[in-house]
Amino acid sequence: MAFENLGEKLQGVFKKLRGKGKLSENDVKEAMREVRLALLEADVNFRVVKEFVKNVTEKSVGHDVLESLQPGQQVIKLVHEEMIALLGSSQSQLTFSSKPPTVYMMVGLQGAGKTTSSGKLAGLLRKQGKRPLLVACDIYRPAAIKQLQVVGRTYNIPVFEMGDTTSPVEISEKSLEFASANGHDVVLIDTAGRLHIDDALMDELGQIRQRVRPQEILLVVDAMTGQDAVNVAQTFDEKLGLDGIIVTKLDSDTRGGAVLSVKKVTGKPVKYVGMGEKLEDMEPFYPDRMASRILGMGDVLSLIDKAQQAFDDKQAAELEKKLRDNSLDLEDFLTQMQQIKKMGSIGDLLSMIPGLNHAALAGAEVDEKAMSHMEAIIQSMTREERKNPSILNGSRKRRIAAGSGRTIQEVNRLLKQFEEMRKMMKGLTGSMKKGGKGLFGKKGFPF
């Protein structure tokens, strides 16, 4: 999970601060020493760490903070504010050309996830009503064009290519003519990368930039490379002039130092982060939301965004009616599980909920397979069995267990859990009908 180690350590520091009624300057400085160590261990640039700790310490040892009723909370608030500033203060959105097509030039080293990110970004733009076109300008890496075509098919985005014998500069020029002729209002140019930065790479990218005049040049960097990602960003910016950065594989990086350093070091905003393999796992980057997640304050807004993308309004209305009528069946149960899975891993979703003990959660194992096992069991039932679980006798259960590759005990456990949930929902909806709210508001959904 992204920032797992850093979040756990910072939350440990804050727990000590909250436990003290009064704070002295020494208390603050001791806490900041621990914050400094946690940031350095997270692979944050040492100059960034030095300035961050200096700013927080200076603000924290002021009279208004130390003499306040809750000085510990005040220090945490200052750390939160400083971290938001470090990450970029506010969300930086893509800009669009006044005269289409808008051209985005995707650059980066090999292995950073540039081709996949190009496809995901195109998919997100298509959801916004745009008509994107992917352009294959990497003619050097074996099967690079084929990879972009596969990515294009995955997200239903057309790919413009001219093989591997035409120069990338000419391909990029011709792609704009093709886009204008075929009604594409956004062009994403997937350029070649190298294992390292060299003059030949930069010369080629410079020529493409000169010919197509992109609206934005977006650098794709791999979070797993830590400080290397920051150095790469700095060099690309000096040579080409970047407009934004996409950080990939953030879900696999428990440190997160690249995201925390890159804006401060380069001055260029992080626009998107990759949190997994699926299209919906590329997220717009919100500095305030990310800071809250790191500090264990949750991220309700991102949770709501994910829910809105995953849940169908019509299905939600039908579910609400069934909850009120206590007519929820296993078909509905299966649909809800599938929609929750679209939102991402259970661990990531739990980390967005404020009020949970996120330090304890970091060490807990969330069994992602359990939901898949439950899905398999329900999918092995007939439609009649899902609608009316009471008809499930011993022979039916044996057939379902064999069909799903699970045990009869697991089938019985699922049915028991489902029945307990129905009883709970009946009690809650019964309370609502009598005029009490219980855990629900006027519309029948939890606050």
Side-chain angles (χ1 to χ4, degrees):
M1 196 184 300
F3 299 106
E4 184 178 312
N5 296 342
L6 175 61
E8 188 175 349
K9 285 176 180 173
L10 290 178
Q11 289 160 47
V13 175
F14 297 156
K15 187 176 180 181
K16 292 179 187 175
L17 289 175
R18 288 192 191 101
K20 296 186 177 185
K22 295 282 287 182
L23 291 181
S24 66
E25 284 194 27
N26 284 336
D27 290 330
V28 172
K29 287 176 180 176
E30 178 59 35
M32 288 306 107
R33 272 194 290 270
E34 293 184 44
V35 169
R36 176 178 176 275
L37 185 60
L39 291 169
L40 289 172
E41 286 179 357
D43 207 19
V44 181
N45 181 281
F46 77 95
R47 291 190 184 89
V48 173
V49 174
K50 185 178 179 182
E51 185 176 343
F52 180 90
V53 171
K54 177 175 173 285
N55 290 345
V56 175
T57 303
E58 286 177 353
K59 293 173 184 175
S60 297
V61 296
H63 180 271
D64 291 344
V65 172
L66 296 183
E67 296 301 317
S68 66
L69 291 174
Q70 292 182 309
Q73 294 283 15
Q74 293 274 45
V75 174
I76 295 166
K77 179 174 177 285
L78 289 170
V79 171
H80 184 233
E81 290 171 353
E82 198 66 29
M83 188 161 283
I84 293 173
L86 180 66
L87 290 167
S89 296
S90 59
Q91 184 204 10
S92 179
Q93 298 181 333
L94 291 177
T95 59
F96 294 92
S97 172
S98 56
K99 182 182 178 183
T102 297
V103 180
Y104 299 116
M105 187 172 160
M106 310 292 285
V107 301
L109 298 183
Q110 279 184 17
K114 180 160 39 64
T115 299
T116 306
S117 295
S118 298
K120 286 181 179 179
L121 183 55
L124 291 175
L125 290 169
R126 186 167 61 83
K127 279 189 170 185
Q128 296 173 18
K130 302 295 182 183
R131 293 197 63 213
L133 175 71
L134 290 166
V135 181
C137 279
D138 186 353
I139 63 171
Y140 311 108
R141 182 168 58 88
I145 297 172
K146 182 69 176 175
Q147 183 192 357
L148 188 64
Q149 289 172 329
V150 170
V151 168
R153 281 197 296 273
T154 301
Y155 301 119
N156 197 25
I157 309 294
V159 175
F160 180 85
E161 56 92 12
M162 295 176 67
D164 58 6
T165 56
T166 309
S167 80
V169 178
E170 186 177 346
I171 295 170
S172 61
E173 280 187 303
K174 294 290 184 184
S175 73
L176 298 193
E177 296 174 13
F178 179 88
S180 296
N182 291 273
H184 295 286
D185 52 6
V186 173
V187 174
L188 294 101
I189 300 176
D190 181 29
T191 64
R194 299 282 194 280
L195 293 175
H196 58 277
I197 296 169
D198 60 23
D199 291 339
L201 169 67
M202 287 303 171
D203 286 345
E204 181 176 283
L205 295 177
Q207 288 178 45
I208 294 174
R209 181 190 63 178
Q210 190 174 358
R211 295 291 180 89
V212 303
R213 299 188 179 280
Q215 177 74 11
E216 293 195 15
I217 299 177
L218 302 173
L219 173 70
V220 181
V221 293
D222 180 348
M224 297 289 287
T225 59
Q227 281 302 298
D228 240 13
V230 180
N231 297 334
V232 166
Q234 205 167 11
T235 305
F236 266 91
D237 185 44
E238 289 168 358
K239 301 282 186 182
L240 288 174
L242 299 176
D243 296 287
I245 297 166
I246 297 173
V247 181
T248 63
K249 306 175 192 174
L250 192 59
D251 57 314
S252 303
D253 181 26
T254 58
R255 296 176 302 172
V259 172
L260 285 166
S261 304
V262 72
K263 173 64 169 68
K264 189 69 177 177
V265 173
T266 66
K268 305 301 177 183
V270 175
K271 297 208 171 188
Y272 289 90
V273 289
M275 301 293 285
E277 297 298 321
K278 300 174 186 174
L279 170 63
E280 56 269 22
D281 292 333
M282 178 179 267
E283 304 175 1
F285 184 70
Y286 296 88
D288 54 343
R289 300 186 190 183
M290 187 59 74
S292 293
R293 285 166 74 172
I294 294 169
L295 301 179
M297 298 174 181
D299 182 5
V300 174
L301 291 176
S302 290
L303 190 60
I304 291 169
D305 285 348
K306 283 179 175 288
Q308 286 176 335
Q309 289 173 22
F311 283 77
D312 179 86
D313 288 343
K314 184 180 177 183
Q315 286 179 328
E318 289 172 358
L319 176 66
E320 181 184 345
K321 185 177 184 300
K322 288 194 173 192
L323 286 173
R324 288 178 179 276
D325 298 340
N326 195 34
S327 58
L328 196 72
D329 58 37
L330 285 165
E331 190 81 30
D332 305 312
F333 196 42
L334 176 64
T335 300
Q336 294 308 303
M337 281 196 292
Q338 290 171 337
Q339 289 183 320
I340 288 169
K341 282 180 72 176
K342 288 180 186 176
M343 293 171 65
S345 75
I346 301 299
D348 280 343
L349 295 180
L350 290 175
S351 73
M352 295 181 190
I353 300 173
L356 289 182
N357 185 339
H358 295 283
L361 185 65
E365 289 189 21
V366 180
D367 188 0
E368 300 279 354
K369 292 181 181 177
M371 194 177 286
S372 298
H373 295 166
M374 293 166 75
E375 275 189 89
I377 291 170
I378 298 173
Q379 286 170 336
S380 294
M381 298 177 185
T382 65
R383 189 170 184 81
E384 183 186 7
E385 288 166 344
R386 294 182 201 176
K387 293 288 183 185
N388 186 14
S390 62
I391 67 173
L392 292 172
N393 55 25
S395 62
R396 286 176 184 262
K397 290 176 184 177
R398 281 194 291 274
R399 190 203 79 241
I400 292 165
S404 62
R406 310 315 305 167
T407 65
I408 292 178
Q409 288 85 352
E410 286 176 286
V411 175
N412 285 330
R413 192 183 307 131
L414 168 64
L415 293 172
K416 183 181 178 182
Q417 289 171 341
F418 176 69
E419 197 53 44
E420 287 173 351
M421 185 191 73
R422 283 187 66 176
K423 285 179 183 177
M424 181 187 73
M425 300 311 297
K426 184 178 181 180
L428 290 169
T429 52
S431 165
M432 285 166 52
K433 287 173 183 175
K434 291 175 186 176
K437 284 187 180 180
L439 294 177
F440 290 76
K442 292 179 182 177
K443 294 187 177 180
F445 289 109
F447 279 126

